[in-house]
Amino acid sequence: MTTKAEARKRAAAVRESLSPEYMKEASEVISRKVLSLRRFKECGSLFIYVSVAGEPDTEKIIRAALDAGKRVFAPRCTGPGVMEAAEVADFDRDLAPGKYGIPEPKGGEVILPEDIDFAVIPCAAAAFDGRRLGHGAGFYDRYLEKTKCPAVALCFSPLVTEDIPTESYDVKADMVITDAE
């Protein structure tokens, strides 16, 4: 059985092998799929990660949600393994690098986890049944266990694998969206 550390190392090697061109094109496909989801179209409040290099790009999804009048909330780290969802009203002005260098809201109203309508979450790798390998700090597992909304994980198709080790505290995504047709 693969350990989470081994799985993360393997996922990192795959991610490093992906070309910038592939990641850009794949991110476009993934964004289109998210934007076409009924759950996305009908949600009033969206919790979504702000992507960094090596992850499916979420900027287009965030901008489309804002343009559609949805309330957009992004993770903000508040302590070791703990985050909150703070509002992003303007993609260009409301984000700044946080403690881990990940863009997060500088201010913004905080929404309670149970008040979120729809969540878009990251992963290092995933299986189509919703098992996801996080980056190791447990931020999303702790946060998502408090939500009542559906959550989709975004994943480049080369990072989809059935070999996702899980623990009892790991929270599965309701759906994994990739660039694969």
Side-chain angles (χ1 to χ4, degrees):
M1 178 103 176
T2 304
T3 67
K4 285 187 177 184
E6 292 166 338
R8 283 187 189 92
K9 186 175 182 180
R10 190 173 53 243
V14 171
R15 198 169 33 260
E16 289 171 16
S17 75
L18 302 176
S19 72
E21 296 80 18
Y22 164 77
M23 287 189 283
K24 184 174 192 261
E25 290 173 19
S27 290
E28 284 291 321
V29 171
I30 290 169
S31 293
R32 280 196 304 274
K33 287 182 175 184
V34 172
L35 296 175
S36 71
L37 291 173
R38 180 180 56 83
R39 290 175 173 164
F40 173 81
K41 290 176 184 177
E42 293 176 357
C43 78
S45 58
L46 172 69
F47 174 60
I48 185 169
Y49 73 98
V50 182
S51 55
V52 295
E55 294 180 323
D57 191 343
T58 58
E59 181 177 347
K60 183 176 182 179
I61 299 166
I62 294 168
R63 289 186 184 279
L66 291 169
D67 289 347
K70 299 178 186 307
R71 294 188 72 197
V72 176
F73 298 87
R76 178 168 56 209
C77 297
T78 59
V82 181
M83 67 182 180
E84 62 187 6
E87 191 162 14
V88 176
D90 185 302
F91 185 87
D92 298 310
R93 289 195 296 258
D94 292 352
L95 299 168
K99 181 178 180 181
Y100 300 101
I102 300 168
E104 58 183 42
K106 295 185 279 190
E109 181 181 330
V110 174
I111 190 171
L112 295 173
E114 58 268 20
D115 291 337
I116 296 169
D117 295 332
F118 186 59
V120 176
I121 58 175
C123 61
F128 279 119
D129 66 1
R131 288 175 293 130
R132 49 178 286 283
L133 181 67
H135 294 288
F139 283 97
Y140 284 89
D141 291 315
R142 283 185 200 88
Y143 193 82
L144 290 172
E145 70 183 6
K146 301 175 206 161
T147 65
K148 298 175 183 172
C149 67
V152 299
L154 307 186
C155 190
F156 292 126
S157 57
L159 292 164
V160 173
T161 176
E162 287 304 309
D163 192 12
I164 301 289
T166 57
E167 305 290 339
S168 60
Y169 53 80
D170 290 325
V171 176
K172 290 173 71 171
D174 294 286
M175 176 187 294
V176 175
I177 296 179
T178 75
D179 51 295
E181 294 302 324

